[in-house]
Amino acid sequence: MIDIFRSEWTKIHSVRSTVWTLAVTAVLMLGFSALINASAKSTADGPITGEQAIIMSLTGTMLASLSMATLGVLVISSEYRTGCIRTSLTAVPKRMSLLTGKIVAFVAISLVVCAVAAAGAIGVGVAISQPPSIEMGEVARSSLGSGLYLTACGLFGLGLGTLIRHTPGAIVSAIALILVLPTMANRLPGEWGRTVAEYFTTNAGLLVVSGQSNGSLGPWSGFAVYLAWVAVAVLAGAVLMQRRDA
């Protein structure tokens, strides 16, 4: 299994798409942090609190989630597109071992890069907004939460890429499930609509970034709900990977 992980690690970090996508993620996080905090600093009537500065600093997380989902899709769909999946399956006939290796390698690189990018975004935001005080424990929690959320979005993309195997189709599906449909769910009427919206993909997942609750879910329970959505996509892709030809 270690050899599989090393092989997948080499595949992920040696291709240009990984470098560029991770760079875009970091730029989105840092850029939006600087933009939002600078705007708030210039228009605020009084000092910006530490909590407000952290929340504003992580505004870019939503768009960054799309870049990470795209990277997750490319980790698997690019091999189907180029036909390299046949070589991979020849080297590793056990398909679930191959998929597990991809997941572990992706999580390892994604979690570190995204958590560091989130911490950097908070640092930039705090430097610009200059709140009177800030809780370092909240900075650490928000950085970790953002890293976990973005990594989960990438795994969502990986699951969809395994399920659909077509890069544009999987990316469009990821955008719909991460950005479009959650926004539409927020407009559903009545009590049932509110419940659906609270438990719908990123509406629940983003709670771990903000550290707030949406009524029935707290930060970590919301993230657990989002992981359940991700698990469904990954498991469905795994089942079809076992049953379909390469």
Side-chain angles (χ1 to χ4, degrees):
M1 191 63 199
I2 295 178
D3 291 336
I4 298 173
F5 168 74
R6 288 175 178 172
S7 174
E8 294 304 321
W9 174 263
T10 301
K11 289 181 189 176
I12 289 178
H13 77 76
S14 62
V15 297
R16 293 179 182 177
S17 60
T18 300
V19 176
W20 280 104
T21 308
L22 291 175
V24 167
T25 300
V27 168
L28 286 171
M29 296 288 289
L30 296 172
F32 270 88
S33 175
L35 179 63
I36 298 299
N37 278 280
S39 176
K41 180 72 172 178
S42 64
T43 58
D45 296 329
I48 297 172
T49 67
E51 183 180 1
Q52 290 173 329
I54 292 174
I55 292 175
M56 291 189 296
S57 298
L58 296 177
T59 305
T61 302
M62 178 53 77
L63 286 179
S65 67
L66 299 182
S67 66
M68 289 307 299
T70 299
L71 177 59
V73 169
L74 292 175
V75 165
I76 183 70
S77 67
S78 60
E79 290 202 44
Y80 282 105
R81 177 175 55 83
T82 60
C84 289
I85 191 65
R86 298 185 183 89
T87 303
S88 296
L89 290 175
T90 299
V92 186
K94 295 182 178 180
R95 301 189 177 198
M96 291 305 96
S97 296
L98 177 64
L99 182 59
T100 300
K102 290 184 180 295
I103 291 172
V104 172
F106 177 83
V107 169
I109 192 170
S110 173
L111 186 56
V112 172
V113 171
C114 291
V116 170
I122 294 174
V124 168
V126 169
I128 293 174
S129 61
Q130 297 180 335
S133 63
I134 189 166
E135 293 288 339
M136 295 308 297
E138 183 61 21
V139 171
R141 191 212 62 77
S142 297
S143 299
L144 176 60
S146 184
L148 289 170
Y149 170 76
L150 291 173
T151 299
C153 289
L155 287 177
F156 209 172
L158 197 156
L160 292 171
T162 308
L163 183 65
I164 299 173
R165 300 200 301 185
H166 185 257
T167 300
I171 291 175
V172 169
S173 298
I175 292 173
L177 287 166
I178 290 173
L179 182 62
V180 179
L181 293 180
T183 302
M184 295 176 64
N186 289 331
R187 299 181 180 275
L188 293 174
E191 183 65 22
W192 69 271
R194 185 180 66 83
T195 301
V196 170
E198 288 179 356
Y199 284 81
F200 200 86
T201 61
T202 53
N203 288 343
L206 277 169
L207 297 177
V208 77
V209 180
S210 66
Q212 300 173 351
S213 62
N214 64 2
S216 58
L217 294 174
W220 294 108
S221 57
F223 184 62
V225 169
Y226 187 42
L227 286 181
W229 283 89
V230 173
V232 169
V234 172
L235 290 174
V239 170
L240 290 182
M241 187 177 184
Q242 285 276 59
R243 296 181 178 181
R244 294 186 298 200
D245 294 334

